[in-house]
Amino acid sequence: MKDLPYVDFGHTPYEAAFGRADVYGVNGTPERAAKRPLSIAIAGCGGVAQAKWVPAIRRLQTIGEPLAIAGVVDPDEARRQKTASLCAAPAFATLSELLAKTRVDIVLVLSSDSFHVPLAEQAIERGVSCLVEKPLARSYREASSLARLAEERGVLLAAVANKRFSPPYAQAKALIDAGALKDRPTIFTGKFTLGYPYVDLLEGGTVHLLDLLLWFMGPVARLSAQGTFQDDGRLESAVVSFGFVSGAIGTIMTSATGLSFAPWERVEIFGRNAFLVVDDQFELTLHDGEAAPARSWRPSVPNTLMFDESFGGYSGLLENVLDSLRGLATLGSNGCDGAAAIALIDAIRMSLERGAEIDLSIEGLMP
């Protein structure tokens, strides 16, 4: 390919740094300033809220996004007061109290997993849009029901899929869409590992890899899983084989026996005599010819013009959701997308329990 698509790799956009002499990209643009102002509420003030989403909101505000934090919600007083201080926003013990007292355009649901659906339902019933952290729900039945509720009420429901907006994966998708693999994707292989034991392997981690698999390859028709288990019965490791509706095939390996501060994630996607690799959500490499040089994309580290909120995909995802709410963009990850990833988790568990291949259509797991 002569002309390769370009994605900013989490740093100041090229046009801002070199076209407008705005080295940190903080001066905004007339186009951004003209957007409809929106207000956001944070429901759940734990680690992901404080470490990822509050900085993502602040990053967008810094570059001129017309966005205000209407309030924060958490049943734990210490957490909500700390987060309220970080956000310079009022704190509430319940979402119903916040919605009764404050005008909100969208609720960012960041609570513990079992409260994702109840909190999102509260907001949707009041006509308020939602962006829900992964997993969207604890089961496909709950997730699909939530997506139907949002559709019936005419309310935007977005599912967190920040890796879609992380530069290495966004660049990979742009290359594939531009024909860099010389054919549609034919094979997907993926690896996800972690070392800390307190996160559910499928819902808390592998769900990201499953979302990427669906994004790159399309819907899954069938899958088969094998696994090993810890002494307490929790899943320790699994290998899963997939057959896609398109006719493509794939496999993933996921394990809680790895190391969290060592290489932990890898995706390979093959087309026709061409393939690409994304290592650790950091470096993308394209191999597209026997005698051609490999081409790679990676950030320069250290780089004072690189922003974690952008590289992790959080600010890009949030901006997409806000612009979708304004009618300016197509939603990058909706409720049905979130439900599809949960359907794969349910199917993997079925396969492990039954020791058999699972046909998702027969089991009612096709969105």
Side-chain angles (χ1 to χ4, degrees):
M1 294 179 65
K2 292 183 178 180
D3 298 319
L4 295 174
Y6 172 77
V7 172
D8 289 326
F9 247 59
H11 49 65
T12 301
Y14 183 90
E15 187 276 330
F18 294 96
R20 294 186 277 117
D22 182 9
V23 68
Y24 293 109
V26 298
N27 292 333
T29 63
E31 293 78 15
R32 192 181 292 277
K35 292 181 180 180
R36 174 165 62 94
L38 296 174
S39 62
I40 189 169
I42 296 173
C45 297
V48 72
Q50 296 178 40
K52 298 300 181 183
W53 288 108
V54 172
I57 293 169
R58 290 306 196 202
R59 176 61 188 162
L60 289 181
Q61 291 174 327
T62 298
I63 62 177
E65 187 74 16
L67 176 65
I69 303 176
V72 304
V73 175
D74 199 283
D76 183 274
E77 183 176 5
R79 282 201 302 264
R80 70 173 178 265
Q81 291 300 336
K82 178 185 177 184
T83 307
S85 177
L86 293 173
C87 296
F92 300 88
T94 66
L95 180 58
S96 59
E97 182 185 4
L98 180 148
L99 293 174
K101 296 181 178 180
T102 307
R103 187 192 71 81
V104 176
D105 293 299
I106 185 166
V107 175
L108 184 47
V109 178
L110 308 177
S111 62
S112 55
D113 296 351
S114 59
F115 291 99
H116 286 180
V117 170
L119 289 171
E121 287 176 338
Q122 281 188 54
I124 291 169
E125 291 286 5
R126 288 175 173 263
V128 178
S129 298
C130 287
L131 171 58
V132 183
E133 252 294 357
K134 52 82 180 163
L136 182 66
R138 302 302 300 275
S139 70
Y140 175 68
R141 180 184 60 79
E142 282 189 319
S144 58
S145 176
L146 184 65
R148 283 195 302 272
L149 176 65
E151 184 178 7
E152 291 168 0
R153 297 293 191 272
V155 174
L156 181 146
L157 172 64
V160 166
N162 55 289
K163 288 182 185 286
R164 296 188 182 195
F165 294 85
S166 178
Y169 287 120
Q171 180 75 62
K173 187 67 161 65
L175 288 170
I176 292 172
D177 290 346
L181 297 186
K182 306 178 184 179
D183 198 351
R184 63 176 176 79
T186 58
I187 300 176
F188 178 100
T189 68
K191 178 195 81 169
F192 175 86
T193 63
L194 51 80
Y196 36 84
Y198 51 83
V199 172
D200 183 280
L201 180 60
L202 295 178
E203 292 181 10
T206 314
V207 64
H208 282 297
L209 185 60
L210 295 173
D211 176 72
L212 289 172
L213 175 144
L214 291 166
W215 189 45
F216 284 118
M217 306 298 292
V220 171
R222 63 194 182 279
L223 64 78
S224 178
Q226 296 185 52
T228 60
F229 297 85
Q230 301 179 45
D231 292 341
D232 61 5
R234 289 183 299 160
L235 181 65
E236 180 178 66
S237 302
V239 175
V240 188
S241 297
F242 300 88
F244 297 92
V245 171
S246 67
I249 57 176
T251 184
I252 67 168
M253 181 278 282
T254 184
S255 179
T257 64
L259 300 170
S260 296
F261 293 164
W264 56 283
E265 184 174 272
R266 181 179 173 93
V267 165
E268 298 184 10
I269 303 171
F270 290 75
R272 188 72 55 191
N273 301 120
F275 69 98
L276 57 78
V277 181
V278 180
D279 275 309
D280 293 317
Q281 197 179 328
F282 180 76
E283 182 174 18
L284 164 65
T285 305
L286 172 66
H287 303 270
D288 60 355
E290 296 290 2
R295 283 170 280 189
S296 65
W297 294 256
R298 61 183 295 170
S300 297
V301 179
N303 183 338
T304 58
L305 306 184
M306 182 176 153
F307 303 96
D308 174 66
E309 300 87 352
S310 299
F311 198 80
Y314 292 92
S315 59
L317 169 59
L318 182 56
E319 182 174 8
N320 170 260
V321 172
L322 297 175
D323 280 350
S324 299
L325 189 56
R326 296 178 176 115
L328 302 176
T330 299
L331 189 60
S333 177
N334 59 34
C336 291
D337 294 323
I342 302 305
L344 294 186
I345 291 177
D346 283 0
I348 290 169
R349 287 174 172 156
M350 286 182 185
S351 182
L352 291 170
E353 181 179 347
R354 301 175 189 176
E357 181 178 86
I358 301 299
D359 184 306
L360 273 72
S361 180
I362 292 175
E363 298 296 340
L365 295 174
M366 293 288 287

